[in-house]
Amino acid sequence: MRARLSRVGGIVAAAVLATGVLAAPAHAEPSQLDGTITSAATGAPVAGCANVYDLAYTWVGGGCSDDTGHWVVDGVESGTAYKVEVYGQDSVYATQWSGGGTSFDEATAVTAPATVDTALAYSREVGDAQLGGTITADDTGAPVAGCVEVYTEAQDFAGSACAGDDGTWSVGRLVAGTGYKVDVSAYDDQHVGEWAQDATSFEQARAVTAPATVDVGLALGGHLQGTLTRVDGQPAQWAQLDVSTTGENARTEAFAQTDDSGHWSALVRPGEYTVQFTDWPASQWAFGQTTPDAADHFTVAAGDTVQVDDRFLAAAKVQGTVRSDATGQPVGGACVTVYAPGDDVDNLQWAGEGCADDTGAYSVDVSQAGDYIAEFTDPQGRYVSEFSGDTRVVGQAAEFSVTRGTPATVDASLAAGATLTGLAVDAKTGAVLSDVCPNAYLGRAGGWVRGSVSECSGADGRWSVHGLPAGALTLAVQQVTQDSAYSLTWAFKATSQATADLITVKAGATTSVRNVQMMPGGTVSGTITGPDGQPVADAWVNVGGGYPGRAGPGEGRWSAKTGADGRYTVHGVPPGTYTAFVYTENYSGDLAPEWSGNATTAATAQSFKVKALKDVRFDAQLAPASKISGTVLQADGSPVDHYLVGQVFAADGSYIGDFDVFGGPDFTTSALPAGSFTLQLMDPETGQSWWYDGATDRAHATAVPLGVGEQAQVTVHLP
């Protein structure tokens, strides 16, 4: 049954669909909706289901068809209008709504009792051709237990099947004359899978034109196995392993995990490999190496088992004592986070963390020897956070070197923190508000006070912020309940940090401020659909606009995710004018992101206004995704052999997508709308950056045009 059934609500929905019954209210005159599901192409009955909704788009009931394609939904109310969604259990069929519509909005309402017969069209091109063949072992010719997946040359899934005892398989309803690629997997832990024929990736696979016979002989693999232990000789349980090929085009061949005895095993095709062990923060390559260049190489022949036992190296450790700078007493419970050095406080590279015991002593293991900085914080809010070197400025933090086996000692003395407290109240009624959380900022232009500890209001409306540095601060509060009508409020009655009142606090003292009056905001809601008009689940709507990128889905102050019905609601949006951004949780999915008004850039987005205590409807229909794939070459023409981070920018300079170059020179961007785009690549190790193709800035970059749903191919040449 298709994932679409999730919209009706888990186990309860499953029970309802199994019986076809949903009890009507006691006062209603019970009635019935029924119908027959057939194939528009053949007229034959189709196994499928129907969902019934009232005109407010609330699910009412559902039922699935019998062998004749007939379905029934009881318990609807006689004389009441409904809309019916019908779909086949086979994904080859497109969903259809009553009256032939492709969405709820396009559906025709039917009044119960009624019969709704539906002829479903195919969702993709379907033919009467098939691919079939056998899966056998190259070494013996015997059948191999395995399965195949068939894809179009555009990488669209077209079907799958598993082999019988004789190794034969077939996938039907393919289009004659069309090329397909076949991915074959084995499950006997002896033979390695491949893309037909003898390829290791979709790109390398040979397309076969249906109808065709695709007999695949799978190579006998070999095993890398071993036991991983910790420094003390105990098993390294549940550690992760990455087995990679060697050379310029190194790629991951297999993943594995140690069991509770530290043992692991990985099936690989014959070849030469390195093995990386990771159990954060420990990370190394066999045998006992800290870089892939120094790693040992292991040659595996068909049928061989190569033993790779290893022990984690001694930890690279940071230790010290945290005390109060006023009293010299230990600060038990203070926490220490170790970072690689950097100037951007919001993008520090984490290396390890730990907390002090009652004596103020702490110890933190880091994955590699090297230079680091440390940040000291107090989760209880008694003390002000600081970086190593007794500074609150990350760019001024004192660096220290860490070597294996010899701990680096870094002590800290923390200043007493200030506390800011007050009441949150309704601006109109004066009633105290619960679940209001405060955040303090440095002056009218500085960032959030790192290390501060916020205490949200309870039933008495009182909030507090602890661990603040002495000086002038600004304050913002926000109610964090899901359906809150209140928008973010700057103290006092300000519209931004720049216009907020300055509040001066003193070290170790508590400052009480007057009531923070919170104004209600507006609500933005609507439905997100796909190209076929069907609801899109797990789409994000960021009312404030902007692609969240590597911060992850859901970032943004006024964001909400759609449910299975494609609906979303964002509460507490401050009055103002907005251009929303819509994208799917799966950045690499088949649907393109867009700005409000079906715009492909922020500059061309259509804005809408939000008013206090008013509801605003914002719907969006997402187009098919476009993507850019490519290969990155070094200045000498050889494939790039190291990790690069990529970003994609729209024609107006808006950040709109990401990609990574990892395990080889090839990449594919996240989903993009139609438009013109520039690509930036960055080396996280050196900080160097380049633009496609060979430019040093965006102004001179070569733009890549994309149509709706287009897959573009480029070659990036590094200077």
Side-chain angles (χ1 to χ4, degrees):
M1 192 169 294
R2 293 173 64 185
R4 189 179 302 282
L5 291 180
S6 64
R7 76 173 59 187
V8 300
I11 297 173
V12 174
V16 171
L17 289 180
T19 61
V21 175
L22 183 74
H27 66 276
E29 183 69 28
S31 188
Q32 183 182 86
L33 292 173
D34 74 338
T36 301
I37 309 174
T38 57
S39 168
T42 67
V46 170
C49 297
N51 281 321
V52 177
Y53 298 85
D54 65 21
L55 299 189
Y57 207 173
T58 300
W59 186 81
V60 175
C64 293
S65 63
D66 58 21
D67 292 341
T68 69
H70 185 250
W71 58 270
V72 177
V73 175
D74 293 316
V76 295
E77 300 179 14
S78 179
T80 300
Y82 300 93
K83 293 186 178 183
V84 182
E85 176 192 37
V86 179
Y87 57 91
Q89 294 183 17
D90 188 333
S91 61
V92 74
Y93 292 104
T95 298
Q96 183 173 304
W97 289 77
S98 48
T102 59
S103 66
F104 177 86
D105 291 337
E106 295 178 4
T108 300
V110 295
T111 302
T115 295
V116 184
D117 293 330
T118 308
L120 295 180
Y122 291 133
S123 60
R124 58 176 173 82
E125 190 176 6
V126 172
D128 56 5
Q130 73 172 24
L131 293 178
T134 58
I135 307 174
T136 57
D138 277 345
D139 54 320
T140 66
V144 172
C147 295
V148 302
E149 291 185 342
V150 178
Y151 295 85
T152 68
E153 291 185 89
Q155 301 190 34
D156 294 324
F157 177 75
S160 63
C162 290
D165 293 339
D166 60 354
T168 61
W169 61 272
S170 66
V171 174
R173 289 201 270 194
L174 303 177
V175 180
T178 297
Y180 297 92
K181 295 188 178 185
V182 181
D183 184 21
V184 185
S185 301
Y187 300 105
D188 63 354
D189 196 36
Q190 297 181 42
H191 295 86
V192 291
E194 66 178 46
W195 287 85
Q197 297 283 350
D198 301 319
T200 59
S201 67
F202 177 90
E203 290 73 21
Q204 296 174 356
R206 177 175 61 85
V208 293
T209 302
T213 297
V214 185
D215 294 327
V216 179
L218 298 182
L220 178 66
H223 286 86
L224 286 164
Q225 67 175 31
T227 300
L228 181 64
T229 56
R230 304 193 186 283
V231 177
D232 60 4
Q234 295 300 306
Q237 300 177 338
W238 321 124
Q240 305 297 316
L241 289 92
D242 186 319
V243 180
S244 298
T245 60
T246 60
E248 291 184 353
N249 297 317
R251 56 176 174 75
T252 297
E253 172 73 9
F255 295 100
Q257 184 180 52
T258 60
D259 59 21
D260 56 6
S261 66
H263 181 72
W264 61 274
S265 178
L267 174 68
V268 297
R269 67 190 73 245
E272 188 177 68
Y273 299 96
T274 60
V275 181
Q276 181 184 14
F277 304 102
T278 303
D279 187 16
W280 193 262
S283 180
Q284 67 186 55
W285 283 259
F287 292 111
Q289 302 299 324
T290 59
T291 66
D293 290 340
D296 287 86
H297 291 191
F298 304 97
T299 300
V300 182
D304 278 0
T305 297
V306 177
Q307 195 75 14
V308 184
D309 297 329
D310 205 3
R311 175 179 291 197
F312 275 123
L313 297 168
K317 189 184 296 291
V318 183
Q319 65 183 24
T321 303
V322 185
R323 300 182 180 277
S324 164
D325 66 359
T327 67
Q329 295 299 306
V331 181
C335 293
V336 185
T337 304
V338 179
Y339 299 102
D343 294 329
D344 186 351
V345 73
D346 294 321
N347 291 288
L348 294 174
Q349 183 179 342
W350 182 89
E353 62 185 24
C355 295
D357 60 21
D358 291 342
T359 69
Y362 74 90
S363 178
V364 177
D365 289 345
V366 295
S367 61
Q368 302 289 345
D371 293 334
Y372 295 95
I373 61 174
E375 183 179 24
F376 300 86
T377 59
D378 177 18
Q380 300 177 47
R382 300 163 297 175
Y383 296 89
V384 181
S385 69
E386 65 178 46
F387 288 96
S388 47
D390 195 27
T391 178
R392 288 186 48 79
V393 180
V394 66
Q396 299 174 3
E399 297 183 18
F400 50 87
S401 295
V402 180
T403 58
R404 292 189 181 275
T406 304
T409 299
V410 182
D411 298 326
S413 296
L414 304 183
T419 294
L420 191 62
T421 187
L423 296 179
V425 301
D426 183 287
K428 294 184 179 295
T429 67
V432 296
L433 300 174
S434 62
D435 301 307
V436 173
C437 298
N439 279 300
Y441 295 81
L442 298 170
R444 291 196 174 107
W448 170 73
V449 178
R450 286 180 67 90
S452 60
V453 178
S454 295
E455 184 179 342
C456 302
S457 64
D460 61 355
R462 180 162 294 280
W463 53 265
S464 299
V465 191
H466 308 281
L468 299 172
L473 307 173
T474 48
L475 173 75
V477 298
Q478 185 167 25
Q479 192 173 49
V480 295
T481 54
Q482 185 174 6
D483 57 351
S484 173
Y486 297 94
S487 57
L488 178 77
T489 300
W490 289 91
F492 297 90
K493 293 185 178 181
T495 58
S496 67
Q497 181 181 357
T499 59
D501 286 19
L502 290 175
I503 304 169
T504 301
V505 297
K506 297 180 179 180
T510 297
T511 300
S512 295
V513 298
R514 67 179 185 271
N515 295 350
V516 179
Q517 298 180 344
M518 300 191 68
M519 293 293 295
T523 298
V524 179
S525 62
T527 303
I528 307 302
T529 57
D532 58 358
Q534 297 304 304
V536 175
D538 298 326
W540 282 93
V541 179
N542 180 2
V543 174
Y547 170 62
R550 297 176 188 272
E555 287 296 311
R557 184 167 293 165
W558 302 292
S559 294
K561 185 169 70 170
T562 61
D565 58 359
R567 292 178 162 191
Y568 74 93
T569 301
V570 183
H571 298 280
V573 180
T577 301
Y578 296 90
T579 52
F581 184 75
V582 185
Y583 60 96
T584 59
E585 186 157 32
N586 178 10
Y587 287 173
S588 299
D590 298 327
L591 297 175
E594 65 177 48
W595 280 268
S596 46
N598 296 119
T600 57
T601 66
T604 59
Q606 180 179 327
S607 62
F608 55 86
K609 291 185 177 181
V610 176
K611 297 181 179 180
L613 299 176
K614 298 293 184 180
D615 295 335
V616 176
R617 175 108 184 174
F618 167 66
D619 299 327
Q621 185 172 23
L622 302 182
S626 305
K627 294 179 183 178
I628 302 171
S629 297
T631 301
V632 183
L633 302 180
Q634 301 188 94
D636 61 2
S638 63
V640 71
D641 58 358
H642 55 281
Y643 176 56
L644 297 175
V645 176
Q647 292 184 320
V648 185
F649 296 86
D652 64 350
S654 303
Y655 170 41
I656 185 64
D658 294 290
F659 61 94
D660 291 303
V661 183
F662 178 72
D666 300 328
F667 68 89
T668 298
T669 66
S670 53
L672 302 172
S676 180
F677 303 93
T678 51
L679 308 179
Q680 182 185 29
L681 295 98
M682 293 167 284
D683 187 330
E685 292 292 328
T686 65
Q688 289 179 290
S689 67
W690 309 271
W691 294 81
Y692 172 73
D693 188 21
T696 57
D697 56 49
R698 192 171 71 85
H700 296 90
T702 302
V704 181
L706 286 176
V708 175
E710 182 180 354
Q711 310 289 314
Q713 189 75 27
V714 300
T715 300
V716 182
H717 301 86
L718 300 184

